[in-house]
Amino acid sequence: MPRVAGVDIPNDKPVWIALRYIHGIGPKTAKDICNQLGIEDKVRAKDLTEDQLSQIAGILQNDFVIEGQLRRQTQQNIARLRDISCYRGLRHRRGLPVRGQRTKTNARTRKGPRKTVAGKKSVKEMR
Amino acid sequence: MARSTKKGPYVDERLYGKVMKAKDSGDRHPIKTWARTCTIVPEFIGHTFSVHNGKMFHNVMVSEDMVGHKLGEFSPTRMFRGHIDKKKR
């Protein structure tokens, strides 16, 4: 199995899909990289030559922020918002949606699994 | 949607004038303001603002990190004290 960008080991999927397993590489950038190096869609990640692998690694290193570095960057941005205690920072602290979504219902991604409160009227009853 | 860059940041002119005045005279008193939509520009760093939230004024000490945000972001308009415990009533 080929290794790209340190720990990432994309499997025997087509290259332009396998590259998306790297944190920070999505459909667009994966396609762009393949086009740049002239790797066809049907080529699988295991069939990549050493040369191509090093070329991919080179592009990733020079043009993109990926993996640990990207995660750190995101964390720092959130930490900044928390520190200056602006509205977005407060929402991050409380674990609630940051961009003005409703919280009466839904918002489960941010709030986590439902905590049932005994005696509370259900959404159906409220209507 | 984000504001057009052509226009530049929105800065309340009266507030900006007040900050400049305070800078000249070395006044460090908080500046009372209702201009929550005013963007924080680098000139504001180090000054304290009393930003209205509809009920009271929150003192906001502007630091370098806050540049680009709006004054209103630092003066919350809602207070959530938690839900009422039904058993206790």
Side-chain angles (χ1 to χ4, degrees):
Chain A
M1 274 197 177
R3 282 173 79 93
V4 189
V7 258
D8 289 290
I9 314 166
N11 40 22
D12 53 7
K13 288 174 185 287
V15 180
W16 61 284
I17 289 177
L19 283 178
R20 296 185 208 171
Y21 283 70
I22 304 163
H23 186 75
I25 301 295
K28 170 85 168 93
T29 33
K31 264 274 181 201
D32 285 352
I33 291 169
C34 287
N35 288 340
Q36 203 181 327
L37 297 178
I39 300 168
E40 280 179 47
D41 280 359
K42 56 176 183 255
V43 181
R44 309 261 157 185
K46 61 183 173 195
D47 300 328
L48 282 174
T49 60
E50 282 298 316
D51 203 35
Q52 283 171 321
L53 281 176
S54 63
Q55 273 178 318
I56 290 173
I59 292 173
L60 290 178
Q61 209 160 28
N62 292 330
D63 303 351
F64 299 107
V65 184
I66 51 164
E67 281 300 321
Q69 211 187 338
L70 179 61
R71 290 203 179 93
R72 226 174 307 128
Q73 209 177 61
T74 318
Q75 279 306 315
Q76 275 167 6
N77 293 343
I78 294 173
R80 195 192 115 246
L81 291 175
R82 281 168 192 249
D83 285 346
I84 62 178
S85 74
C86 67
Y87 183 74
R88 280 172 69 197
L90 297 177
R91 300 298 281 183
H92 271 294
R93 280 193 211 163
R94 307 211 72 157
L96 289 167
V98 176
R99 299 183 178 176
Q101 298 98 320
R102 63 150 47 197
T103 52
K104 183 172 183 174
T105 66
N106 299 336
R108 291 334 303 191
T109 306
R110 289 288 292 176
K111 288 165 96 175
R114 290 199 160 76
K115 294 149 236 153
T116 315
V117 180
K120 188 177 174 147
K121 277 185 187 147
S122 73
V123 180
K124 263 185 201 159
E125 283 171 59
M126 281 192 288
R127 273 198 228 122
Chain B
M1 193 161 71
R3 184 182 162 91
S4 157
T5 40
K6 181 185 83 180
K7 299 180 194 171
Y10 170 70
V11 182
D12 191 87
E13 273 169 40
R14 284 188 66 193
L15 184 63
Y16 188 79
K18 274 188 183 175
V19 172
M20 284 304 146
K21 231 177 172 180
K23 249 189 181 170
D24 287 340
S25 61
D27 195 5
R28 289 270 136 193
H29 283 295
I31 302 167
K32 233 183 199 189
T33 182
W34 283 257
R36 295 169 55 85
T37 52
C38 179
T39 313
I40 296 172
V41 289
E43 285 88 336
F44 288 8
I45 294 172
H47 280 274
T48 310
F49 293 88
S50 277
V51 185
H52 197 57
N53 72 348
K55 188 178 181 186
M56 53 176 287
F57 293 91
H58 278 281
N59 278 347
V60 177
M61 170 79 185
V62 174
S63 68
E64 209 183 325
D65 275 344
M66 296 181 181
V67 172
H69 289 258
K70 308 262 175 172
L71 281 175
E73 288 183 58
F74 302 96
S75 180
T77 54
R78 283 154 209 234
M79 180 115 84
F80 177 68
R81 283 221 179 86
H83 292 297
I84 315 147
D85 194 345
K86 279 229 161 148
K87 281 177 208 157
K88 276 185 185 164
R89 274 204 295 188

PDB file of all heavy atoms in Angstrom, chain B residues 27-50:
ATOM      1  N   ASP B  27      -7.518  60.368  26.711  1.00  0.00           N
ATOM      2  CA  ASP B  27      -8.621  59.974  27.589  1.00  0.00           C
ATOM      3  C   ASP B  27      -8.802  58.454  27.541  1.00  0.00           C
ATOM      4  O   ASP B  27      -8.877  57.864  26.479  1.00  0.00           O
ATOM      5  CB  ASP B  27      -9.899  60.667  27.103  1.00  0.00           C
ATOM      6  CG  ASP B  27     -10.988  60.599  28.151  1.00  0.00           C
ATOM      7  OD1 ASP B  27     -10.703  60.103  29.254  1.00  0.00           O
ATOM      8  OD2 ASP B  27     -12.113  61.039  27.850  1.00  0.00           O
ATOM      9  N   ARG B  28      -8.888  57.847  28.723  1.00  0.00           N
ATOM     10  CA  ARG B  28      -9.002  56.386  28.772  1.00  0.00           C
ATOM     11  C   ARG B  28     -10.386  55.930  29.225  1.00  0.00           C
ATOM     12  O   ARG B  28     -10.587  54.762  29.515  1.00  0.00           O
ATOM     13  CB  ARG B  28      -7.937  55.809  29.712  1.00  0.00           C
ATOM     14  CG  ARG B  28      -6.543  55.913  29.150  1.00  0.00           C
ATOM     15  CD  ARG B  28      -6.179  54.704  28.358  1.00  0.00           C
ATOM     16  NE  ARG B  28      -5.511  55.103  27.125  1.00  0.00           N
ATOM     17  CZ  ARG B  28      -5.293  54.268  26.109  1.00  0.00           C
ATOM     18  NH1 ARG B  28      -5.682  53.035  26.172  1.00  0.00           N
ATOM     19  NH2 ARG B  28      -4.693  54.681  25.032  1.00  0.00           N
ATOM     20  N   HIS B  29     -11.309  56.882  29.355  1.00  0.00           N
ATOM     21  CA  HIS B  29     -12.640  56.487  29.823  1.00  0.00           C
ATOM     22  C   HIS B  29     -13.354  55.674  28.758  1.00  0.00           C
ATOM     23  O   HIS B  29     -13.165  55.904  27.565  1.00  0.00           O
ATOM     24  CB  HIS B  29     -13.473  57.740  30.147  1.00  0.00           C
ATOM     25  CG  HIS B  29     -13.081  58.346  31.455  1.00  0.00           C
ATOM     26  ND1 HIS B  29     -13.274  57.684  32.645  1.00  0.00           N
ATOM     27  CD2 HIS B  29     -12.506  59.527  31.751  1.00  0.00           C
ATOM     28  CE1 HIS B  29     -12.822  58.443  33.626  1.00  0.00           C
ATOM     29  NE2 HIS B  29     -12.332  59.561  33.122  1.00  0.00           N
ATOM     30  N   PRO B  30     -14.195  54.723  29.177  1.00  0.00           N
ATOM     31  CA  PRO B  30     -14.954  53.967  28.185  1.00  0.00           C
ATOM     32  C   PRO B  30     -15.868  54.880  27.371  1.00  0.00           C
ATOM     33  O   PRO B  30     -16.449  55.816  27.913  1.00  0.00           O
ATOM     34  CB  PRO B  30     -15.768  52.971  29.007  1.00  0.00           C
ATOM     35  CG  PRO B  30     -15.531  53.270  30.425  1.00  0.00           C
ATOM     36  CD  PRO B  30     -14.412  54.232  30.533  1.00  0.00           C
ATOM     37  N   ILE B  31     -15.986  54.606  26.087  1.00  0.00           N
ATOM     38  CA  ILE B  31     -16.846  55.388  25.210  1.00  0.00           C
ATOM     39  C   ILE B  31     -18.185  54.676  25.091  1.00  0.00           C
ATOM     40  O   ILE B  31     -18.263  53.533  24.645  1.00  0.00           O
ATOM     41  CB  ILE B  31     -16.213  55.551  23.813  1.00  0.00           C
ATOM     42  CG1 ILE B  31     -14.855  56.224  23.938  1.00  0.00           C
ATOM     43  CG2 ILE B  31     -17.135  56.334  22.895  1.00  0.00           C
ATOM     44  CD1 ILE B  31     -14.014  56.148  22.695  1.00  0.00           C
ATOM     45  N   LYS B  32     -19.229  55.377  25.534  1.00  0.00           N
ATOM     46  CA  LYS B  32     -20.563  54.793  25.487  1.00  0.00           C
ATOM     47  C   LYS B  32     -21.047  54.801  24.050  1.00  0.00           C
ATOM     48  O   LYS B  32     -20.938  55.806  23.352  1.00  0.00           O
ATOM     49  CB  LYS B  32     -21.498  55.652  26.334  1.00  0.00           C
ATOM     50  CG  LYS B  32     -22.271  54.862  27.369  1.00  0.00           C
ATOM     51  CD  LYS B  32     -23.225  55.765  28.100  1.00  0.00           C
ATOM     52  CE  LYS B  32     -23.625  55.111  29.410  1.00  0.00           C
ATOM     53  NZ  LYS B  32     -24.698  55.830  30.077  1.00  0.00           N
ATOM     54  N   THR B  33     -21.586  53.678  23.607  1.00  0.00           N
ATOM     55  CA  THR B  33     -22.064  53.647  22.228  1.00  0.00           C
ATOM     56  C   THR B  33     -23.198  52.652  22.028  1.00  0.00           C
ATOM     57  O   THR B  33     -23.312  51.662  22.746  1.00  0.00           O
ATOM     58  CB  THR B  33     -20.919  53.315  21.248  1.00  0.00           C
ATOM     59  OG1 THR B  33     -21.425  53.339  19.933  1.00  0.00           O
ATOM     60  CG2 THR B  33     -20.317  51.960  21.524  1.00  0.00           C
ATOM     61  N   TRP B  34     -24.034  52.998  21.040  1.00  0.00           N
ATOM     62  CA  TRP B  34     -25.109  52.088  20.630  1.00  0.00           C
ATOM     63  C   TRP B  34     -24.764  51.479  19.272  1.00  0.00           C
ATOM     64  O   TRP B  34     -25.533  50.701  18.737  1.00  0.00           O
ATOM     65  CB  TRP B  34     -26.429  52.852  20.508  1.00  0.00           C
ATOM     66  CG  TRP B  34     -27.083  53.148  21.812  1.00  0.00           C
ATOM     67  CD1 TRP B  34     -28.148  52.494  22.350  1.00  0.00           C
ATOM     68  CD2 TRP B  34     -26.746  54.180  22.740  1.00  0.00           C
ATOM     69  NE1 TRP B  34     -28.490  53.055  23.559  1.00  0.00           N
ATOM     70  CE2 TRP B  34     -27.646  54.086  23.826  1.00  0.00           C
ATOM     71  CE3 TRP B  34     -25.759  55.163  22.765  1.00  0.00           C
ATOM     72  CZ2 TRP B  34     -27.589  54.947  24.911  1.00  0.00           C
ATOM     73  CZ3 TRP B  34     -25.704  56.014  23.853  1.00  0.00           C
ATOM     74  CH2 TRP B  34     -26.612  55.899  24.913  1.00  0.00           C
ATOM     75  N   ALA B  35     -23.617  51.861  18.717  1.00  0.00           N
ATOM     76  CA  ALA B  35     -23.259  51.453  17.349  1.00  0.00           C
ATOM     77  C   ALA B  35     -22.703  50.040  17.345  1.00  0.00           C
ATOM     78  O   ALA B  35     -21.504  49.820  17.183  1.00  0.00           O
ATOM     79  CB  ALA B  35     -22.247  52.432  16.760  1.00  0.00           C
ATOM     80  N   ARG B  36     -23.604  49.070  17.486  1.00  0.00           N
ATOM     81  CA  ARG B  36     -23.178  47.672  17.545  1.00  0.00           C
ATOM     82  C   ARG B  36     -22.705  47.161  16.196  1.00  0.00           C
ATOM     83  O   ARG B  36     -21.962  46.181  16.112  1.00  0.00           O
ATOM     84  CB  ARG B  36     -24.331  46.786  18.023  1.00  0.00           C
ATOM     85  CG  ARG B  36     -24.771  47.074  19.436  1.00  0.00           C
ATOM     86  CD  ARG B  36     -26.064  46.358  19.746  1.00  0.00           C
ATOM     87  NE  ARG B  36     -25.965  44.933  19.490  1.00  0.00           N
ATOM     88  CZ  ARG B  36     -25.479  44.054  20.374  1.00  0.00           C
ATOM     89  NH1 ARG B  36     -25.068  44.460  21.534  1.00  0.00           N
ATOM     90  NH2 ARG B  36     -25.423  42.781  20.076  1.00  0.00           N
ATOM     91  N   THR B  37     -23.158  47.812  15.121  1.00  0.00           N
ATOM     92  CA  THR B  37     -22.807  47.339  13.782  1.00  0.00           C
ATOM     93  C   THR B  37     -21.458  47.878  13.325  1.00  0.00           C
ATOM     94  O   THR B  37     -20.988  47.533  12.245  1.00  0.00           O
ATOM     95  CB  THR B  37     -23.865  47.775  12.754  1.00  0.00           C
ATOM     96  OG1 THR B  37     -24.059  49.179  12.881  1.00  0.00           O
ATOM     97  CG2 THR B  37     -25.154  47.050  12.969  1.00  0.00           C
ATOM     98  N   CYS B  38     -20.839  48.705  14.133  1.00  0.00           N
ATOM     99  CA  CYS B  38     -19.581  49.328  13.743  1.00  0.00           C
ATOM    100  C   CYS B  38     -18.434  48.322  13.791  1.00  0.00           C
ATOM    101  O   CYS B  38     -18.235  47.642  14.794  1.00  0.00           O
ATOM    102  CB  CYS B  38     -19.283  50.502  14.676  1.00  0.00           C
ATOM    103  SG  CYS B  38     -17.750  51.319  14.308  1.00  0.00           S
ATOM    104  N   THR B  39     -17.712  48.213  12.682  1.00  0.00           N
ATOM    105  CA  THR B  39     -16.565  47.309  12.634  1.00  0.00           C
ATOM    106  C   THR B  39     -15.428  47.864  13.491  1.00  0.00           C
ATOM    107  O   THR B  39     -15.217  49.080  13.536  1.00  0.00           O
ATOM    108  CB  THR B  39     -16.068  47.145  11.191  1.00  0.00           C
ATOM    109  OG1 THR B  39     -17.178  46.892  10.349  1.00  0.00           O
ATOM    110  CG2 THR B  39     -15.082  46.019  11.081  1.00  0.00           C
ATOM    111  N   ILE B  40     -14.705  46.966  14.136  1.00  0.00           N
ATOM    112  CA  ILE B  40     -13.551  47.385  14.923  1.00  0.00           C
ATOM    113  C   ILE B  40     -12.356  47.552  14.002  1.00  0.00           C
ATOM    114  O   ILE B  40     -11.961  46.609  13.320  1.00  0.00           O
ATOM    115  CB  ILE B  40     -13.251  46.358  16.036  1.00  0.00           C
ATOM    116  CG1 ILE B  40     -14.415  46.317  17.022  1.00  0.00           C
ATOM    117  CG2 ILE B  40     -11.945  46.687  16.741  1.00  0.00           C
ATOM    118  CD1 ILE B  40     -14.330  45.224  18.037  1.00  0.00           C
ATOM    119  N   VAL B  41     -11.811  48.741  13.953  1.00  0.00           N
ATOM    120  CA  VAL B  41     -10.653  49.016  13.107  1.00  0.00           C
ATOM    121  C   VAL B  41      -9.412  49.146  13.998  1.00  0.00           C
ATOM    122  O   VAL B  41      -9.536  49.371  15.203  1.00  0.00           O
ATOM    123  CB  VAL B  41     -10.864  50.300  12.267  1.00  0.00           C
ATOM    124  CG1 VAL B  41     -11.891  50.062  11.185  1.00  0.00           C
ATOM    125  CG2 VAL B  41     -11.260  51.459  13.135  1.00  0.00           C
ATOM    126  N   PRO B  42      -8.213  48.997  13.411  1.00  0.00           N
ATOM    127  CA  PRO B  42      -6.990  49.010  14.217  1.00  0.00           C
ATOM    128  C   PRO B  42      -6.853  50.225  15.134  1.00  0.00           C
ATOM    129  O   PRO B  42      -6.227  50.132  16.200  1.00  0.00           O
ATOM    130  CB  PRO B  42      -5.884  49.001  13.163  1.00  0.00           C
ATOM    131  CG  PRO B  42      -6.476  48.312  12.001  1.00  0.00           C
ATOM    132  CD  PRO B  42      -7.924  48.664  12.001  1.00  0.00           C
ATOM    133  N   GLU B  43      -7.459  51.361  14.742  1.00  0.00           N
ATOM    134  CA  GLU B  43      -7.360  52.561  15.570  1.00  0.00           C
ATOM    135  C   GLU B  43      -8.029  52.378  16.934  1.00  0.00           C
ATOM    136  O   GLU B  43      -7.725  53.100  17.877  1.00  0.00           O
ATOM    137  CB  GLU B  43      -8.006  53.756  14.856  1.00  0.00           C
ATOM    138  CG  GLU B  43      -7.173  54.318  13.719  1.00  0.00           C
ATOM    139  CD  GLU B  43      -7.480  53.611  12.405  1.00  0.00           C
ATOM    140  OE1 GLU B  43      -7.948  52.444  12.433  1.00  0.00           O
ATOM    141  OE2 GLU B  43      -7.250  54.206  11.344  1.00  0.00           O
ATOM    142  N   PHE B  44      -8.931  51.414  17.038  1.00  0.00           N
ATOM    143  CA  PHE B  44      -9.697  51.228  18.276  1.00  0.00           C
ATOM    144  C   PHE B  44      -8.906  50.470  19.341  1.00  0.00           C
ATOM    145  O   PHE B  44      -9.307  50.427  20.495  1.00  0.00           O
ATOM    146  CB  PHE B  44     -10.984  50.436  17.993  1.00  0.00           C
ATOM    147  CG  PHE B  44     -12.029  51.208  17.235  1.00  0.00           C
ATOM    148  CD1 PHE B  44     -11.756  52.453  16.706  1.00  0.00           C
ATOM    149  CD2 PHE B  44     -13.298  50.669  17.058  1.00  0.00           C
ATOM    150  CE1 PHE B  44     -12.719  53.165  16.002  1.00  0.00           C
ATOM    151  CE2 PHE B  44     -14.265  51.368  16.355  1.00  0.00           C
ATOM    152  CZ  PHE B  44     -13.968  52.614  15.830  1.00  0.00           C
ATOM    153  N   ILE B  45      -7.788  49.835  18.945  1.00  0.00           N
ATOM    154  CA  ILE B  45      -7.065  48.957  19.870  1.00  0.00           C
ATOM    155  C   ILE B  45      -6.652  49.722  21.116  1.00  0.00           C
ATOM    156  O   ILE B  45      -6.122  50.830  21.037  1.00  0.00           O
ATOM    157  CB  ILE B  45      -5.828  48.333  19.178  1.00  0.00           C
ATOM    158  CG1 ILE B  45      -6.270  47.404  18.072  1.00  0.00           C
ATOM    159  CG2 ILE B  45      -4.967  47.589  20.175  1.00  0.00           C
ATOM    160  CD1 ILE B  45      -5.154  46.891  17.205  1.00  0.00           C
ATOM    161  N   GLY B  46      -6.908  49.104  22.256  1.00  0.00           N
ATOM    162  CA  GLY B  46      -6.510  49.700  23.523  1.00  0.00           C
ATOM    163  C   GLY B  46      -7.596  50.524  24.168  1.00  0.00           C
ATOM    164  O   GLY B  46      -7.523  50.812  25.356  1.00  0.00           O
ATOM    165  N   HIS B  47      -8.629  50.908  23.385  1.00  0.00           N
ATOM    166  CA  HIS B  47      -9.706  51.698  23.966  1.00  0.00           C
ATOM    167  C   HIS B  47     -10.775  50.784  24.554  1.00  0.00           C
ATOM    168  O   HIS B  47     -10.894  49.623  24.188  1.00  0.00           O
ATOM    169  CB  HIS B  47     -10.347  52.584  22.897  1.00  0.00           C
ATOM    170  CG  HIS B  47      -9.552  53.826  22.634  1.00  0.00           C
ATOM    171  ND1 HIS B  47      -9.687  54.965  23.372  1.00  0.00           N
ATOM    172  CD2 HIS B  47      -8.578  54.074  21.727  1.00  0.00           C
ATOM    173  CE1 HIS B  47      -8.842  55.877  22.928  1.00  0.00           C
ATOM    174  NE2 HIS B  47      -8.148  55.353  21.925  1.00  0.00           N
ATOM    175  N   THR B  48     -11.523  51.338  25.476  1.00  0.00           N
ATOM    176  CA  THR B  48     -12.629  50.593  26.050  1.00  0.00           C
ATOM    177  C   THR B  48     -13.933  51.205  25.561  1.00  0.00           C
ATOM    178  O   THR B  48     -14.079  52.420  25.520  1.00  0.00           O
ATOM    179  CB  THR B  48     -12.569  50.641  27.580  1.00  0.00           C
ATOM    180  OG1 THR B  48     -11.258  50.281  27.998  1.00  0.00           O
ATOM    181  CG2 THR B  48     -13.561  49.677  28.186  1.00  0.00           C
ATOM    182  N   PHE B  49     -14.869  50.336  25.178  1.00  0.00           N
ATOM    183  CA  PHE B  49     -16.169  50.803  24.710  1.00  0.00           C
ATOM    184  C   PHE B  49     -17.249  50.248  25.622  1.00  0.00           C
ATOM    185  O   PHE B  49     -17.134  49.127  26.118  1.00  0.00           O
ATOM    186  CB  PHE B  49     -16.438  50.319  23.284  1.00  0.00           C
ATOM    187  CG  PHE B  49     -15.523  50.930  22.274  1.00  0.00           C
ATOM    188  CD1 PHE B  49     -14.292  50.344  21.994  1.00  0.00           C
ATOM    189  CD2 PHE B  49     -15.877  52.085  21.610  1.00  0.00           C
ATOM    190  CE1 PHE B  49     -13.441  50.905  21.074  1.00  0.00           C
ATOM    191  CE2 PHE B  49     -15.028  52.652  20.687  1.00  0.00           C
ATOM    192  CZ  PHE B  49     -13.807  52.068  20.416  1.00  0.00           C
ATOM    193  N   SER B  50     -18.264  51.058  25.845  1.00  0.00           N
ATOM    194  CA  SER B  50     -19.440  50.570  26.538  1.00  0.00           C
ATOM    195  C   SER B  50     -20.497  50.309  25.480  1.00  0.00           C
ATOM    196  O   SER B  50     -21.099  51.241  24.965  1.00  0.00           O
ATOM    197  CB  SER B  50     -19.943  51.591  27.556  1.00  0.00           C
ATOM    198  OG  SER B  50     -19.220  51.466  28.741  1.00  0.00           O
TER     199      SER B  50
END
